[in-house]
Coordinates of all heavy atoms in Angstrom, one line a residue:
S60 N -17.2 0.7 18.8 CA -17.9 -0.5 18.4 C -18.2 -0.3 16.9 O -18.2 0.8 16.3 CB -19.2 -0.7 19.2 OG -20.1 0.4 18.9
N61 N -18.6 -1.4 16.2 CA -19.0 -1.3 14.8 C -20.1 -0.4 14.6 O -20.1 0.5 13.7 CB -19.4 -2.7 14.3 CG -18.3 -3.7 14.1 OD1 -17.1 -3.3 14.2 ND2 -18.6 -4.9 14.0
E62 N -21.1 -0.5 15.5 CA -22.3 0.4 15.4 C -22.0 1.9 15.6 O -22.4 2.7 14.9 CB -23.3 -0.1 16.4 CG -24.6 0.7 16.4 CD -25.6 0.3 17.4 OE1 -25.5 -0.8 18.0 OE2 -26.6 1.0 17.6
K63 N -21.2 2.2 16.6 CA -20.8 3.5 16.9 C -20.0 4.1 15.8 O -20.2 5.3 15.3 CB -20.0 3.6 18.2 CG -19.4 4.9 18.6 CD -20.5 5.8 19.1 CE -19.9 7.1 19.7 NZ -20.9 8.2 19.9
E64 N -19.0 3.3 15.2 CA -18.2 3.8 14.1 C -19.1 4.1 12.9 O -18.9 5.1 12.2 CB -17.2 2.7 13.7 CG -16.2 3.1 12.7 CD -15.1 2.1 12.5 OE1 -14.1 2.1 13.3 OE2 -15.2 1.3 11.6
Y65 N -20.1 3.2 12.6 CA -21.0 3.4 11.5 C -21.8 4.7 11.7 O -22.0 5.5 10.8 CB -21.9 2.2 11.3 CG -22.7 2.3 10.1 CD1 -22.2 2.0 8.8 CD2 -24.1 2.7 10.2 CE1 -23.0 2.1 7.7 CE2 -24.9 2.8 9.0 CZ -24.3 2.5 7.8 OH -25.1 2.6 6.7
N66 N -22.3 4.9 12.9 CA -23.1 6.1 13.2 C -22.3 7.3 13.1 O -22.8 8.4 12.6 CB -23.8 6.0 14.6 CG -24.9 4.9 14.6 OD1 -25.5 4.6 13.6 ND2 -25.1 4.4 15.8
L67 N -21.1 7.3 13.5 CA -20.2 8.5 13.4 C -19.9 8.7 11.9 O -19.9 9.9 11.5 CB -18.9 8.3 14.1 CG -19.0 8.4 15.6 CD1 -17.6 7.9 16.3 CD2 -19.3 9.8 16.0
W68 N -19.7 7.7 11.1 CA -19.5 7.8 9.7 C -20.7 8.5 9.0 O -20.5 9.4 8.2 CB -19.1 6.5 9.1 CG -19.0 6.6 7.6 CD1 -17.9 7.1 6.9 CD2 -20.0 6.2 6.6 NE1 -18.2 7.0 5.5 CE2 -19.5 6.5 5.3 CE3 -21.3 5.6 6.7 CZ2 -20.1 6.2 4.2 CZ3 -21.9 5.4 5.5 CH2 -21.4 5.7 4.3
L69 N -21.9 8.0 9.4 CA -23.1 8.6 8.8 C -23.2 10.1 9.2 O -23.5 10.9 8.3 CB -24.4 7.9 9.4 CG -24.7 6.5 8.8 CD1 -25.9 5.9 9.5 CD2 -24.9 6.6 7.3
S70 N -22.9 10.4 10.4 CA -22.9 11.8 10.8 C -21.9 12.6 10.1 O -22.1 13.8 9.7 CB -22.6 11.9 12.3 OG -23.6 11.3 13.1
M71 N -20.7 12.0 9.9 CA -19.7 12.7 9.1 C -20.1 13.0 7.7 O -19.8 14.0 7.1 CB -18.4 11.9 9.1 CG -17.2 12.6 8.5 SD -15.7 11.6 8.6 CE -15.9 10.6 7.1
Q72 N -20.8 12.0 7.1 CA -21.3 12.2 5.7 C -22.3 13.3 5.6 O -22.5 13.9 4.6 CB -22.0 10.9 5.2 CG -21.0 9.8 5.1 CD -19.8 10.1 4.2 OE1 -20.0 10.5 3.0 NE2 -18.6 10.0 4.7
Q73 N -23.0 13.6 6.7 CA -23.9 14.7 6.8 C -23.3 16.1 7.2 O -24.0 17.0 7.4 CB -25.1 14.4 7.7 CG -25.9 13.2 7.3 CD -26.8 12.7 8.3 OE1 -26.8 13.2 9.5 NE2 -27.6 11.7 8.0
G74 N -21.9 16.0 7.3 CA -21.2 17.3 7.5 C -20.8 17.5 9.0 O -20.3 18.6 9.3
S75 N -20.9 16.5 9.8 CA -20.5 16.7 11.2 C -19.0 16.6 11.4 O -18.4 15.6 11.2 CB -21.2 15.7 12.1 OG -20.6 15.7 13.4
S76 N -18.4 17.8 11.7 CA -16.9 17.7 11.9 C -16.6 17.1 13.3 O -15.5 16.5 13.4 CB -16.3 19.2 11.9 OG -16.9 20.0 12.9
S77 N -17.5 17.1 14.2 CA -17.3 16.5 15.5 C -17.2 14.9 15.3 O -16.4 14.3 16.0 CB -18.5 16.8 16.4 OG -18.4 16.1 17.6
A78 N -18.0 14.4 14.5 CA -18.0 12.9 14.2 C -16.7 12.6 13.5 O -16.1 11.5 13.9 CB -19.2 12.5 13.3
R79 N -16.2 13.4 12.6 CA -14.9 13.2 12.0 C -13.8 13.2 13.0 O -12.9 12.3 13.0 CB -14.7 14.2 10.9 CG -13.4 14.1 10.1 CD -13.4 15.2 9.0 NE -12.1 15.1 8.3 CZ -11.0 15.8 8.6 NH1 -11.0 16.7 9.6 NH2 -10.0 15.7 7.8
E80 N -13.8 14.1 13.9 CA -12.8 14.2 14.9 C -12.8 13.0 15.8 O -11.8 12.5 16.2 CB -13.0 15.5 15.7 CG -12.6 16.8 14.9 CD -13.0 18.0 15.7 OE1 -13.3 18.0 16.9 OE2 -12.9 19.1 15.0
Q81 N -14.0 12.5 16.2 CA -14.1 11.3 17.0 C -13.6 10.1 16.3 O -12.9 9.3 17.0 CB -15.6 11.1 17.4 CG -16.1 12.1 18.4 CD -17.6 11.8 18.8 OE1 -17.9 10.7 19.0 NE2 -18.4 12.9 18.8
L82 N -13.8 10.0 15.0 CA -13.3 8.8 14.3 C -11.7 8.9 14.3 O -11.1 7.9 14.5 CB -13.8 8.8 12.9 CG -15.2 8.3 12.7 CD1 -15.7 8.6 11.3 CD2 -15.3 6.9 13.0
I83 N -11.2 10.1 14.1 CA -9.7 10.3 14.1 C -9.2 10.0 15.5 O -8.2 9.2 15.6 CB -9.4 11.7 13.6 CG1 -9.7 11.8 12.1 CG2 -7.9 12.0 13.8 CD1 -9.6 13.2 11.6
F84 N -9.7 10.6 16.5 CA -9.2 10.5 17.8 C -9.2 9.0 18.3 O -8.3 8.6 19.0 CB -10.0 11.4 18.8 CG -9.4 11.4 20.2 CD1 -8.3 12.1 20.5 CD2 -10.0 10.7 21.2 CE1 -7.8 12.2 21.7 CE2 -9.5 10.7 22.5 CZ -8.4 11.5 22.8
A85 N -10.2 8.3 18.0 CA -10.3 6.9 18.5 C -9.2 6.0 17.9 O -8.9 5.0 18.4 CB -11.7 6.3 18.1
N86 N -8.6 6.4 16.8 CA -7.6 5.6 16.1 C -6.2 6.1 16.3 O -5.3 5.5 15.7 CB -8.0 5.4 14.6 CG -9.3 4.6 14.5 OD1 -9.2 3.4 14.6 ND2 -10.4 5.3 14.2
L87 N -6.0 7.1 17.0 CA -4.7 7.7 17.2 C -3.7 6.7 17.9 O -2.5 6.7 17.5 CB -4.7 9.0 18.0 CG -5.3 10.2 17.2 CD1 -5.4 11.4 18.1 CD2 -4.6 10.5 16.0
P88 N -4.1 5.9 18.9 CA -3.2 4.9 19.5 C -2.6 4.0 18.4 O -1.4 3.6 18.6 CB -4.0 4.2 20.5 CG -5.1 5.2 20.9 CD -5.4 5.9 19.6
Y89 N -3.4 3.6 17.4 CA -2.8 2.7 16.4 C -1.7 3.5 15.6 O -0.7 2.8 15.3 CB -3.9 2.3 15.4 CG -3.4 1.4 14.3 CD1 -3.0 0.1 14.6 CD2 -3.2 1.9 13.0 CE1 -2.4 -0.7 13.6 CE2 -2.7 1.1 12.0 CZ -2.3 -0.2 12.3 OH -1.8 -1.0 11.3
V90 N -1.9 4.7 15.4 CA -0.9 5.5 14.7 C 0.5 5.5 15.4 O 1.5 5.3 14.8 CB -1.3 7.0 14.4 CG1 -0.2 7.8 13.9 CG2 -2.5 7.0 13.5
V91 N 0.4 5.6 16.7 CA 1.6 5.6 17.6 C 2.3 4.2 17.4 O 3.5 4.1 17.3 CB 1.3 6.0 19.0 CG1 2.5 5.7 19.9 CG2 0.8 7.4 19.1
S92 N 1.5 3.2 17.5 CA 2.1 1.8 17.4 C 2.8 1.6 16.0 O 3.8 1.0 16.0 CB 1.0 0.7 17.6 OG 0.1 0.7 16.5
V93 N 2.2 2.1 15.0 CA 2.9 2.0 13.7 C 4.2 2.9 13.7 O 5.2 2.4 13.2 CB 1.9 2.5 12.5 CG1 2.7 2.6 11.2 CG2 0.8 1.5 12.4
A94 N 4.1 4.1 14.2 CA 5.2 5.0 14.2 C 6.4 4.4 15.0 O 7.6 4.5 14.6 CB 4.9 6.3 14.8
K95 N 6.1 3.7 16.1 CA 7.2 3.1 16.9 C 8.0 2.0 16.1 O 9.2 1.8 16.3 CB 6.6 2.4 18.1 CG 6.2 3.3 19.2 CD 5.6 2.5 20.3 CE 4.9 3.4 21.4 NZ 4.3 2.6 22.4
K96 N 7.3 1.3 15.1 CA 8.0 0.3 14.3 C 9.1 0.9 13.4 O 10.0 0.3 13.0 CB 7.0 -0.4 13.4 CG 6.0 -1.3 14.2 CD 5.3 -2.2 13.3 CE 4.5 -1.6 12.1 NZ 3.7 -2.5 11.4
Y97 N 9.0 2.2 13.1 CA 9.9 2.9 12.2 C 11.0 3.7 13.0 O 11.7 4.4 12.3 CB 9.1 3.7 11.2 CG 8.4 2.9 10.2 CD1 7.1 2.5 10.4 CD2 9.1 2.5 9.0 CE1 6.5 1.6 9.5 CE2 8.4 1.7 8.1 CZ 7.1 1.3 8.4 OH 6.5 0.5 7.5
L98 N 11.0 3.6 14.3 CA 12.1 4.3 15.1 C 13.5 4.0 14.7 O 14.4 4.8 14.7 CB 11.9 4.1 16.6 CG 10.8 4.9 17.2 CD1 10.6 4.5 18.6 CD2 11.1 6.4 17.1
P99 N 13.8 2.7 14.3 CA 15.1 2.4 13.9 C 15.6 3.2 12.7 O 16.8 3.3 12.4 CB 15.1 0.9 13.5 CG 14.0 0.4 14.4 CD 13.0 1.5 14.4
S100 N 14.7 3.9 11.9 CA 15.2 4.7 10.8 C 15.9 5.9 11.3 O 16.7 6.5 10.5 CB 13.9 5.2 10.0 OG 13.2 6.1 10.8
G101 N 15.8 6.3 12.6 CA 16.5 7.4 13.1 C 15.6 8.7 13.1 O 16.0 9.7 13.7
A102 N 14.5 8.6 12.4 CA 13.5 9.8 12.4 C 12.9 10.0 13.8 O 12.8 9.0 14.6 CB 12.4 9.5 11.4
A103 N 12.6 11.2 14.1 CA 12.1 11.5 15.4 C 10.7 10.9 15.5 O 9.9 11.0 14.5 CB 12.0 13.0 15.6
L104 N 10.3 10.4 16.7 CA 9.0 9.8 16.9 C 7.9 10.8 16.6 O 6.9 10.4 15.9 CB 8.9 9.3 18.3 CG 7.6 8.6 18.7 CD1 7.3 7.4 17.8 CD2 7.5 8.3 20.2
E105 N 8.0 12.0 17.0 CA 7.0 13.0 16.7 C 6.8 13.2 15.2 O 5.6 13.4 14.8 CB 7.2 14.3 17.5 CG 8.5 14.9 17.3 CD 9.6 14.5 18.3 OE1 9.4 13.5 18.9 OE2 10.6 15.2 18.3
D106 N 7.8 13.1 14.5 CA 7.7 13.3 13.0 C 7.0 12.1 12.4 O 6.1 12.2 11.5 CB 9.1 13.5 12.3 CG 9.7 14.8 12.8 OD1 9.0 15.7 13.2 OD2 11.0 14.8 12.6
L107 N 7.3 10.9 12.9 CA 6.6 9.7 12.4 C 5.2 9.7 12.8 O 4.3 9.3 12.0 CB 7.3 8.5 13.0 CG 8.8 8.3 12.5 CD1 9.4 7.1 13.3 CD2 8.9 8.1 11.0
I108 N 4.9 10.1 14.0 CA 3.5 10.2 14.4 C 2.7 11.2 13.6 O 1.6 10.9 13.2 CB 3.4 10.6 15.9 CG1 3.9 9.4 16.8 CG2 1.9 10.9 16.3 CD1 4.0 9.7 18.3
Q109 N 3.3 12.3 13.3 CA 2.6 13.4 12.5 C 2.3 12.8 11.1 O 1.2 13.0 10.6 CB 3.5 14.6 12.4 CG 2.9 15.7 11.5 CD 1.6 16.2 12.0 OE1 1.3 16.3 13.2 NE2 0.7 16.5 11.1
A110 N 3.3 12.1 10.5 CA 3.0 11.5 9.2 C 1.9 10.5 9.3 O 1.0 10.4 8.4 CB 4.3 10.8 8.7

Side-chain angles (χ1 to χ4, degrees):
S60 67
N61 289 347
E62 183 181 345
K63 176 75 172 167
E64 186 174 278
Y65 185 79
N66 290 335
L67 285 171
W68 175 77
L69 285 175
S70 297
M71 188 181 84
Q72 294 304 303
Q73 296 169 355
S75 171
S76 61
S77 172
R79 181 177 179 266
E80 289 172 13
Q81 287 179 44
L82 284 170
I83 292 169
F84 186 74
N86 291 286
L87 291 178
Y89 178 74
V90 171
V91 172
S92 69
V93 171
K95 286 179 188 177
K96 292 193 307 188
Y97 288 89
L98 281 175
S100 71
L104 179 62
E105 53 270 16
D106 295 338
L107 297 172
I108 291 171
Q109 178 61 34

